[in-house]
Every structure is written in structure tokens, then in C-alpha cells.
């Protein structure tokens, strides 16, 4: 989330008006987040993570749980500004996200859309499969077709019953596709180990700017979240992550 502009503050001792940036203070995050960052730093190659890198990581993560909840604007459906929402408490917005009907029908023609991806249809730049249960074979067909696709910039596959078996296809896609800018696979059935491997694949990707993997059926372990945090610190392209 963008940080709000800071106002000019006064110092009573001198009466002089100074800008906040003249006073450097270390940003303090919650204990769990600080611990995660410290452990991620310890996993590195000996170099320390700078305050700037910590600030950047915190901004990407929203200083919140890495994989805990769905961003209000992360997934969308045709004709709607937002899509899947989580009943989880959103610390960043300081309000509870309302629960949206997870069974709402998405009338996308999956086979036809797959054909468009395979044929590199230039008119197809944003694909929304959200809320459509997809068989493993179909998930593999979609990710395989995306490997050489140069048109699709945003791919949303939230609540599609994607399992660990389908992640290898996403990893290959991220390593090879040079066009995709946004990928959302929230609210599926992917374990922490596979999520870690997916994020680590971003080492080979310089074009994806948004990655949404939160709210999975399985809870990611601390070790997986530490590895994900380290991978995010080293990533230069992502500006949004949940």
C-alpha cells in the first residue's frame, strides 16, 4: 500500500520547522514480523539486510502476515471491481473484510479461453478463471499455453481448486513467460513448500509485478515463510505481494 505523505512537524525546543526526513528513525514493526526478517537475514550469504530493504519488504507485505488473508482488491470477476474476499481481519485497513459469496458463478468458457491462449490471441490480455473448479489437466494446459504467450498480462485463478500437483506448471511459466505482469492464485489448496518454490522461481522472472498466493487451505510453516521473505527481499520486480 502506498505510504501517505508526511506532514511537516515542529520542534518546540527551537521553534524551527523541520521536515520528517531530516530525522532518521528505524521503522518498528510487530514482533513476529521483526523476527521473521531477522531469521531471513540469517539465511543470507553473510550480507546484512539494510533498513531500506526491510522497509521495501514491509511495504510489499503490508507489515502483515505473509500469507494470511486476501487483499480486498486482489481478485476480480467480470463486471465487478473486486472478487474473492476473506472474513479475516485486515490489520492494514483496520477493518473487517466482508465475506463474499464464494459460490458465485463465473460463466467464462474455459475451453475457448484456453484456445485463445494457445493461439496467442492479442485481444486477450486479462483472464479471470476465479470460482471455476479446474481439473489438474486443465490447469496444466493453461500454464503450458502461457509459457509462450505474449499477450496475457493478468491471470487470475482464485478459488479454482488448484493443488500442489499444478504448481510445477506455474513455476515453469514464471521462469519463461516475459509478458505476464500479475498472477493471482489465492484461495486454493497449495501447501507452504510449493508456495515457497513458486516464489523462489521469481529469481528467473523480471516482468511480474504482482503475485497473490494468500488464503490457502493449508497453513504455511515458519520455515516456508522465512524462505519466502528472503526470496522477496532479493526480488527486484514485484511491487505487490500477498
Amino acid at each position: 500500500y502506498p505510504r501517505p505523505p508526511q506532514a511537516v512537524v515542529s520542534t518546540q525546543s527551537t521553534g524551527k520547522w523541520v521536515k520528517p526526513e531530516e530525522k532518521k528513525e528505524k521503522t518498528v514493526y510487530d514482533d513476529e514480523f521483526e523476527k521473521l526478517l531477522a531469521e531471513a537475514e540469517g539465511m543470507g550469504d553473510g550480507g546484512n539486510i539494510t533498513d531500506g530493504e526491510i522497509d521495501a519488504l514491509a511495504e510489499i507485505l503490508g507489515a502483515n502476515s505473509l500469507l494470511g488473508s486476501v487483499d480486498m482488491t486482489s481478485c476480480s470477476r467480470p463486471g465487478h471491481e473486486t472478487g474473492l474476499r476473506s472474513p479475516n481481519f485486515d490489520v492494514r485497513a483496520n477493518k473487517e473484510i466482508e465475506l463474499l459469496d464464494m459460490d458465485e458463478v463465473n460463466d467464462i468458457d474455459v475451453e475457448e479461453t484456453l484456445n485463445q491462449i494457445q493461439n496467442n490471441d492479442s485481444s486477450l490480455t486479462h483472464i479471470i478463471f476465479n470460482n471455476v473448479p479446474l481439473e489438474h489437466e486443465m490447469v496444466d494446459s493453461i500454464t503450458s499455453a502461457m509459457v509462450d504467450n505474449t499477450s496475457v498480462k493478468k491471470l487470475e485463478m482464485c478459488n479454482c481448486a488448484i493443488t500442489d500437483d499444478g504448481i510445477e506448471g506455474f513455476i515453469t511459466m514464471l521462469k519463461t513467460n516475459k509478458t505476464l505482469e500479475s498472477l493471482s492464485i489465492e484461495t486454493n489448496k497449495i501447501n507452504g513448500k510449493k508456495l515457497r518454490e513458486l516464489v523462489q522461481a521469481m529469481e528467473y522472472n523480471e516482468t511480474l509485478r504482482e503475485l497473490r498466493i494468500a488464503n490457502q487451505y493449508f497453513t504455511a510453516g515458519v520455515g516456508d515463510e522465512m524462505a519466502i521473505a528472503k526470496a522477496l527481499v532479493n526480488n527486484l520486480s514485484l511491487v505487490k505481494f500477498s
Side-chain angles (χ1 to χ4, degrees):
Y1 289 85
R3 297 180 180 179
Q6 293 179 303
V8 175
V9 298
S10 65
T11 55
Q12 294 182 357
S13 58
T14 63
K16 177 185 175 183
W17 291 91
V18 296
K19 294 183 179 181
E21 56 264 26
E22 292 179 13
K23 183 179 180 182
K24 299 294 183 182
E25 294 183 355
K26 183 179 183 298
T27 303
V28 178
Y29 306 113
D30 59 78
D31 293 341
E32 183 179 356
F33 191 67
E34 283 280 8
K35 180 180 178 182
L36 181 62
L37 287 171
E39 292 177 345
E41 180 177 335
M43 295 171 62
D45 54 6
N48 292 327
I49 299 177
T50 66
D51 286 348
E53 290 172 328
I54 291 176
D55 287 343
L57 177 59
E59 189 169 347
I60 292 174
L61 301 179
N64 199 1
S65 172
L66 284 175
L67 307 174
S69 62
V70 177
D71 192 314
M72 291 180 67
T73 59
S74 61
C75 296
S76 58
R77 290 163 291 127
H80 296 261
E81 293 182 358
T82 60
L84 304 179
R85 297 183 182 180
S86 167
N88 295 340
F89 190 76
D90 185 356
V91 179
R92 293 160 295 178
N94 195 29
K95 61 184 177 181
E96 188 171 344
I97 303 174
E98 67 181 274
L99 181 66
L100 192 66
D101 183 5
M102 301 287 279
D103 297 323
E104 185 164 351
V105 176
N106 181 348
D107 59 0
I108 186 173
D109 187 326
V110 176
E111 291 287 351
E112 175 58 30
T113 303
L114 174 59
N115 288 333
Q116 287 181 277
I117 300 173
Q118 292 171 332
N119 294 326
N120 207 15
D121 186 338
S122 61
S123 67
L124 187 67
T125 59
H126 183 184
I127 304 173
I128 303 172
F129 287 115
N130 299 339
N131 290 346
V132 178
L134 299 173
E135 297 292 337
H136 171 60
E137 291 76 12
M138 177 55 70
V139 174
D140 278 352
S141 294
I142 292 171
T143 53
S144 295
M146 283 295 300
V147 166
D148 297 317
N149 186 278
T150 58
S151 298
V152 178
K153 294 186 176 182
K154 188 170 185 177
L155 177 61
E156 301 188 42
M157 301 178 72
C158 304
N159 195 32
C160 291
I162 299 171
T163 64
D164 297 342
D165 293 336
I167 293 304
E168 286 302 323
F170 285 99
I171 291 174
T172 301
M173 179 187 73
L174 288 179
K175 288 182 177 180
T176 55
N177 184 287
K178 305 302 180 185
T179 304
L180 191 67
E181 297 177 358
S182 174
L183 174 64
S184 299
I185 53 172
E186 294 170 322
T187 317
N188 283 293
K189 299 179 179 181
I190 308 164
N191 69 30
K193 180 177 182 294
K194 289 299 182 181
L195 293 177
R196 177 183 65 195
E197 293 174 1
L198 180 74
V199 176
Q200 289 173 334
M202 287 299 300
E203 175 185 352
Y204 306 94
N205 186 296
E206 297 180 351
T207 54
L208 197 74
R209 298 178 59 80
E210 179 178 24
L211 179 60
R212 309 281 190 174
I213 60 175
N215 202 45
Q216 300 297 328
Y217 181 81
F218 303 103
T219 302
V222 175
D224 293 322
E225 290 203 342
M226 283 168 32
I228 288 172
K230 181 176 182 293
L232 289 173
V233 168
N234 296 327
N235 181 270
L236 300 178
S237 65
L238 283 178
V239 295
K240 291 183 180 180
F241 174 84
S242 68

